[in-house]
Amino acid sequence: MNSITETKTPTIHQIADLLTDVASELMTSGAHTMRIIQNISRMAETFGYYIDLSVFQLSIMMTITSKSDQSERITVIKKTRPLLLNFTFVSDLSSLSWDTYDKQLPFDEVKEKFHAIISQKKMSRWLVLFLVACANASFCALFKGDLHAVALVFIGTTAGFFVRQEMIKRHINHLVVFTTSAFVASLLSGLGYALHLGNTPEIALAASVLYLIPGVPLINSILDIIEGHILTGTARLVNATSLIVCIALGLFSAMLILGLEKL
Amino acid sequence: MSSNIFLLVLFDGLLAAIAAIGFAVISNPSRKAVFVSAFLAAVGHALRFFLIKSGLEISLATFVAASCIGLMSIFFAKMIHCPAEVFSFPSLLPMIPGLFAYRTILGLIRFMQNDDPVKSQEFLQNIFHNGFTTMFILLALVIGVSLPVLLFPKYSFKVTRKY
């Protein structure tokens, strides 16, 4: 009896655990609902099961049924983590699901590959900080801000995004993070008014908080609604809107301090 | 005049590309995807700029630009085996109507704080104008970019397949 080399068939519980882990990781990384369902169904089919999946903002619910034996069926609910965009994960997990399907990969290998994907290193935070500041500064130039405005936005965004990175690292509430970092960015960018720099200080102030706009959640929400996942889409939309309100509040308090009326 | 507008469009595209790179890296995509989204953003934003300059209304221009990005992204997706939204979403970010959204919220705050009926009417008008502009641009962006997914759903979900 050589039981070590023999490949064990995974139990339904092991498969359900892996699939919900993948689904929750996709949700956290910012995939839209249709993609999550497609990827997970594909993987489940490879292992000889089919699934019914509901995706919500804070949890996913999945019933997994064996194709060969209808009575072998369990339902799993798994919490998802708060949104932390990561498109490398979305892309790689999507590839993994096709690989699993096309090459009929065994369960253990899929699990190994999944853990390899989610432990990938991220881009250096300082590079991200620099690129975001450049992006927002060029945004200011798009709105026809002059050089003073562009420079102010660069400084404001650097400070604001740094604050955001630090606060996210400390797991502070998302809404607080957005308000604070909008406040810091707009206060610094609004200094053009106080110091009478350049001719377009209002553009600097307006552009300073644009890097915070939750663009991907907004796009995902509309896409979900179009594809019929109205509940998830609405949840994402409400979430994104509340972030925008928070950003506007941060901007508004900075304007109050600077004594400005109009934007 | 015509060479002038050409330069302006080019400049607009360049700035949009820088903006797209910065907004893309927040969502940590692969390096290839960053460059593709910069290119798509440049084309899309420059196209929108040109259309607005030639007199098209902003949400319609956005729709055209977004569908252009959506169609191109399918080809790139096939080329680098990566879901289309990984680079088409970041390339839309420079067109997200952030400014209109803030103006809506700030307008709401002003409307609440104000008691002069004449001014209130003006604020209300602004709130509605900015709010609807935000909504329609957003819809135009998403419907435009997902046109390929809606038209060819089978094809769009297969791009990450390697065999």
Side-chain angles (χ1 to χ4, degrees):
Chain A
M1 293 284 278
N2 191 352
S3 61
I4 299 162
T5 52
E6 211 174 302
T7 45
K8 280 182 287 177
T9 24
T11 63
I12 190 169
H13 293 274
Q14 283 174 314
I15 290 175
D17 278 349
L18 178 69
L19 292 183
T20 43
D21 278 348
V22 176
S24 126
E25 203 58 54
L26 278 169
M27 186 68 187
T28 306
S29 313
H32 61 103
T33 308
M34 186 78 108
R35 179 169 297 282
I36 300 177
I37 293 177
Q38 298 247 6
N39 285 357
I40 303 300
S41 317
R42 205 178 289 144
M43 288 170 90
E45 201 174 309
T46 315
F47 301 135
Y49 292 86
Y50 59 78
I51 55 141
D52 297 294
L53 185 68
S54 282
V55 183
F56 298 110
Q57 191 74 5
L58 290 179
S59 62
I60 45 179
M61 226 187 296
M62 186 179 82
T63 295
I64 176 166
T65 316
S66 168
K67 273 184 190 163
S68 51
D69 178 8
Q70 292 281 317
S71 64
E72 198 187 352
R73 167 199 305 245
I74 59 169
T75 298
V76 188
I77 300 181
K78 167 132 182 132
K79 264 195 287 185
T80 57
R81 287 185 289 118
L83 190 69
L84 198 67
L85 292 178
N86 193 328
F87 277 174
T88 309
F89 287 3
V90 175
S91 167
D92 289 355
L93 290 175
S94 196
S95 292
L96 176 65
S97 76
W98 272 120
D99 272 357
T100 312
Y101 186 78
D102 287 335
K103 295 187 195 160
Q104 295 287 314
L105 293 181
F107 176 79
D108 292 321
E109 198 178 331
V110 175
K111 194 170 179 179
E112 222 168 79
K113 283 192 169 167
F114 168 65
H115 286 296
I117 287 171
I118 59 168
S119 49
Q120 279 178 79
K121 264 188 85 174
K122 286 190 180 173
M123 198 181 266
S124 141
R125 59 175 285 202
W126 303 110
L127 182 62
V128 173
L129 179 63
F130 174 71
L131 288 174
V132 169
C134 285
N136 221 17
S138 67
F139 225 75
C140 178
L142 268 183
F143 289 126
K144 312 234 177 327
D146 57 11
L147 269 183
H148 285 103
V150 171
L152 279 169
V153 168
F154 187 86
I155 296 167
T157 309
T158 311
F161 198 75
F162 179 75
V163 168
R164 178 182 140 151
Q165 283 179 329
E166 286 298 312
M167 287 176 91
I168 285 182
K169 213 165 71 183
R170 289 173 176 71
H171 301 290
I172 295 169
N173 181 299
H174 256 59
L175 303 178
V176 179
V177 172
F178 273 69
T179 315
T180 319
S181 106
F183 174 72
V184 171
S186 49
L187 191 64
L188 283 174
S189 306
L191 282 179
Y193 272 113
L195 306 173
H196 304 291
L197 290 172
N199 301 317
T200 53
E202 76 283 356
I203 293 179
L205 190 64
S208 63
V209 283
L210 286 179
Y211 72 97
L212 284 166
I213 280 277
V216 177
L218 276 176
I219 299 175
N220 269 334
S221 76
I222 307 283
L223 201 54
D224 275 357
I225 291 173
I226 291 175
E227 284 170 347
H229 298 284
I230 296 181
L231 213 56
T232 319
T234 314
R236 291 194 211 245
L237 191 63
V238 171
N239 195 17
T241 312
S242 54
L243 289 180
I244 293 177
V245 171
C246 283
I247 301 166
L249 282 179
L251 181 64
F252 187 70
S253 23
M255 284 165 70
L256 270 184
I257 289 178
L258 292 166
L260 299 176
E261 273 296 303
K262 270 221 168 96
L263 183 66
Chain B
M1 183 59 206
S2 63
S3 74
N4 192 12
I5 188 114
F6 178 71
L7 273 182
L8 276 177
V9 167
L10 212 62
F11 187 59
D12 185 272
L14 185 70
L15 288 176
I18 302 175
I21 291 177
F23 294 147
V25 292
I26 298 182
S27 53
N28 192 37
S30 65
R31 207 147 289 197
K32 268 190 247 165
V34 173
F35 289 116
V36 174
S37 60
F39 172 73
L40 290 179
V43 174
H45 205 278
L47 179 65
R48 183 174 87 150
F49 179 75
F50 177 73
L51 289 174
I52 291 174
K53 278 279 165 203
S54 31
L56 212 60
E57 184 266 329
I58 186 165
S59 65
L60 207 55
T62 307
F63 179 73
V64 176
S67 28
C68 181
I69 288 180
L71 286 176
M72 284 194 297
S73 66
I74 288 291
F75 292 107
F76 281 110
K78 192 75 192 164
M79 230 168 75
I80 63 175
H81 293 301
C82 179
E85 71 251 29
V86 167
F87 44 78
S88 65
F89 282 13
S91 60
L92 294 182
L93 295 183
M95 292 198 269
I96 291 269
L99 210 49
F100 290 107
Y102 295 142
R103 285 196 181 130
T104 313
I105 310 286
L106 292 179
L108 284 171
I109 296 173
R110 294 239 168 74
F111 176 74
M112 173 202 69
Q113 290 175 336
N114 170 281
D115 351 285
D116 179 7
V118 182
K119 269 195 171 171
S120 289
Q121 267 184 7
E122 194 188 312
F123 286 143
L124 262 187
Q125 237 173 27
N126 285 338
I127 291 166
F128 273 87
H129 180 258
N130 289 324
F132 280 120
T133 313
T134 312
M135 209 176 79
F136 277 100
I137 294 182
L138 208 56
L139 278 175
L141 279 177
V142 180
I143 296 176
V145 83
S146 52
L147 262 191
V149 185
L150 298 173
L151 292 179
F152 326 106
K154 286 245 169 71
Y155 185 78
S156 308
F157 279 109
K158 267 188 192 158
V159 291
T160 42
R161 191 179 201 172
K162 287 174 187 149
Y163 308 96

